[in-house]
Amino acid sequence: MAFTFINPDSLGAPRIIKHNLVAPKGKLLFIAGQIAWDQSQKIVSDDFVEQFDRALANVVTVLSAAGGQPEHIVRLVIYVTDKIEYRERTREVGERYRKHLGKHFPAMVLVQVAGLLDDAANVEIEGMAVLPA
Amino acid sequence: MAFTFINPDSLGAPRIIKHNLVAPKGKLLFIAGQIAWDQSQKIVSDDFVEQFDRALANVVTVLSAAGGQPEHIVRLVIYVTDKIEYRERTREVGERYRKHLGKHFPAMVLVQVAGLLDDAANVEIEGMAVLPA
Amino acid sequence: MAFTFINPDSLGAPRIIKHNLVAPKGKLLFIAGQIAWDQSQKIVSDDFVEQFDRALANVVTVLSAAGGQPEHIVRLVIYVTDKIEYRERTREVGERYRKHLGKHFPAMVLVQVAGLLDDAANVEIEGMAVLPA
């Protein structure tokens, strides 16, 4: 099951969140927005990087439960409440990213929203994956 | 046409907006962001719950026109301008939800945005569905 | 490859950003959020309309590189930082839209977010397309 990455030269070298891809036919997995909840649905930490880590871990938990692998993820939307925090800690965020998804970079969007439903959350990650049929 | 819900125990019991699912192959329906417009494209009410009701009704109107049923919806994104209002009226929102979609809970995201295009709108709902091929 | 537009009368005449559609089976193209970057990944202008033009051009660049045509786009999400600017310049935005996508109107969402990752960006556009299999 081969995904085709589409990163035209005219857009410059793809940064982490600027990849595009074509997915072959398959089953679509829709992952609800995940925040840094533990099993008791409490936010695990106030720290942005720790929350990013857990939210992404939760995305992978859903993916795995559906029989998918990180490389099946086609789209991630990252909603943050403080983009400065994200920017200042990009290196750490990148480490946590690779911990969960390796070097697979799907199409991403990152925007700063006015608020997340759980006041204690500072990041929420929604995902889609295309699983082998 | 069976959807498979993916709600791992390690994420705790799925709350309404925390379901995940795998869709079988089918035709994809893309529903533009719906606000509480009536046929003349006027917002029907200032009230959040009434707007939620109408916006979701409009989602279902599109779905039905495409030959779909509520259980074909795979993804909803709910953009609100005031999450406090949403939280304080969750019970009412849930009633209106079930009125239109019954007990079908697709993958959802709810975020508070800085603004919706129509100043009178306080909620906008985008949707995707997978229809039987 | 025929898309079916679903615009029920009861929702009033479809405005540009209020179209809905059903896509036939095909390969899914996921386009990351595009901003008005040039090849050196610098924002091309401070002007909203110029940024909209370039961001949409970048969407089309990805689409073309994947072998797609404007009419294969099924979904666009437009994140802006100033909806007033968008509204006041709707005519110009429409001209730039048609320049890149002609009269094809996929399902769209437009929301005002609290911030985009690049401080110089005032619009970001994410897309999905269904390409002929």
Side-chain angles (χ1 to χ4, degrees):
Chain A
M1 184 181 203
F3 286 22
T4 307
F5 286 84
I6 308 291
N7 294 309
D9 287 345
S10 63
L11 298 183
R15 299 191 186 187
I16 285 177
I17 64 168
K18 292 295 173 197
H19 289 260
N20 313 285
L21 56 81
V22 175
K25 291 184 189 180
K27 290 179 295 180
L28 290 171
L29 167 64
F30 295 89
I31 303 173
Q34 300 294 324
I35 56 175
W37 272 357
D38 60 17
Q39 191 166 3
S40 63
Q41 301 184 342
K42 291 280 185 302
I43 292 286
V44 295
S45 168
D46 289 340
D47 182 74
F48 176 74
V49 173
E50 294 303 327
Q51 285 205 21
F52 179 86
D53 185 284
R54 181 62 185 236
L56 195 55
N58 290 347
V59 166
V60 173
T61 295
V62 174
L63 178 70
S64 301
Q69 304 292 333
E71 60 267 29
H72 298 139
I73 296 179
V74 289
R75 176 177 180 265
L76 290 176
V77 182
I78 304 171
Y79 298 101
V80 301
T81 56
D82 181 357
K83 68 177 179 175
I84 307 299
E85 182 87 19
Y86 173 86
R87 282 204 304 240
E88 290 181 347
R89 304 185 69 185
T90 298
R91 191 185 54 76
E92 292 167 271
V93 168
E95 288 169 1
R96 304 304 177 99
Y97 182 93
R98 289 187 294 275
K99 170 181 154 192
H100 296 295
L101 298 182
K103 295 192 173 178
H104 174 68
F105 301 107
M108 295 194 217
V109 173
L110 186 149
V111 291
Q112 177 176 308
V113 292
L116 297 171
L117 190 51
D118 186 324
D119 289 331
N122 54 36
V123 60
E124 177 161 338
I125 307 176
E126 183 207 4
M128 282 181 63
V130 176
L131 308 178
Chain B
M1 185 182 201
F3 286 22
T4 308
F5 286 85
I6 308 290
N7 294 308
D9 288 345
S10 63
L11 298 183
R15 299 191 187 186
I16 284 177
I17 64 168
K18 292 294 173 196
H19 289 260
N20 312 286
L21 55 81
V22 175
K25 290 184 190 179
K27 290 178 296 181
L28 290 170
L29 167 64
F30 295 89
I31 304 173
Q34 300 293 325
I35 56 175
W37 273 356
D38 60 18
Q39 190 166 2
S40 62
Q41 301 184 343
K42 291 280 185 304
I43 293 286
V44 295
S45 167
D46 289 340
D47 183 75
F48 176 75
V49 172
E50 295 303 328
Q51 285 204 22
F52 178 87
D53 185 285
R54 181 61 186 236
L56 195 56
N58 290 347
V59 166
V60 173
T61 294
V62 174
L63 178 70
S64 300
Q69 303 291 334
E71 60 267 29
H72 298 140
I73 295 179
V74 289
R75 177 177 180 264
L76 290 175
V77 182
I78 304 170
Y79 298 102
V80 301
T81 55
D82 181 357
K83 68 177 179 176
I84 307 299
E85 182 88 19
Y86 173 86
R87 282 204 305 241
E88 290 181 348
R89 304 184 68 185
T90 297
R91 192 184 53 74
E92 292 167 89
V93 168
E95 288 170 1
R96 302 305 176 99
Y97 183 93
R98 289 186 296 276
K99 170 182 155 191
H100 296 294
L101 298 181
K103 294 192 173 178
H104 174 68
F105 300 107
M108 294 194 218
V109 173
L110 186 149
V111 292
Q112 176 176 310
V113 291
L116 297 172
L117 190 51
D118 186 324
D119 289 332
N122 53 36
V123 59
E124 177 161 339
I125 308 175
E126 185 207 2
M128 282 180 63
V130 176
L131 308 179
Chain C
M1 184 181 204
F3 287 23
T4 308
F5 286 85
I6 308 291
N7 294 309
D9 288 344
S10 63
L11 298 183
R15 298 191 187 187
I16 284 177
I17 63 168
K18 292 295 174 197
H19 289 261
N20 313 285
L21 55 82
V22 175
K25 290 184 188 179
K27 292 179 294 181
L28 290 171
L29 167 64
F30 295 89
I31 303 173
Q34 301 293 325
I35 56 176
W37 272 356
D38 60 18
Q39 190 165 4
S40 62
Q41 302 184 342
K42 292 280 184 303
I43 293 287
V44 295
S45 167
D46 289 342
D47 182 75
F48 176 74
V49 172
E50 294 302 328
Q51 286 205 19
F52 178 86
D53 185 284
R54 181 62 185 236
L56 195 55
N58 290 348
V59 166
V60 172
T61 294
V62 175
L63 178 69
S64 301
Q69 304 291 333
E71 59 267 29
H72 298 140
I73 296 179
V74 289
R75 175 177 181 265
L76 290 175
V77 182
I78 303 170
Y79 297 102
V80 300
T81 56
D82 181 357
K83 68 177 180 177
I84 307 299
E85 182 88 19
Y86 173 86
R87 282 205 305 240
E88 290 181 347
R89 303 184 70 185
T90 298
R91 192 183 53 75
E92 292 167 89
V93 168
E95 288 170 0
R96 304 305 178 99
Y97 182 92
R98 289 187 295 275
K99 170 182 155 191
H100 296 294
L101 298 182
K103 293 192 173 178
H104 173 69
F105 301 107
M108 296 194 217
V109 173
L110 186 149
V111 292
Q112 178 177 309
V113 291
L116 297 172
L117 190 51
D118 186 325
D119 288 332
N122 53 37
V123 59
E124 178 162 338
I125 307 176
E126 184 207 3
M128 282 181 64
V130 175
L131 308 178

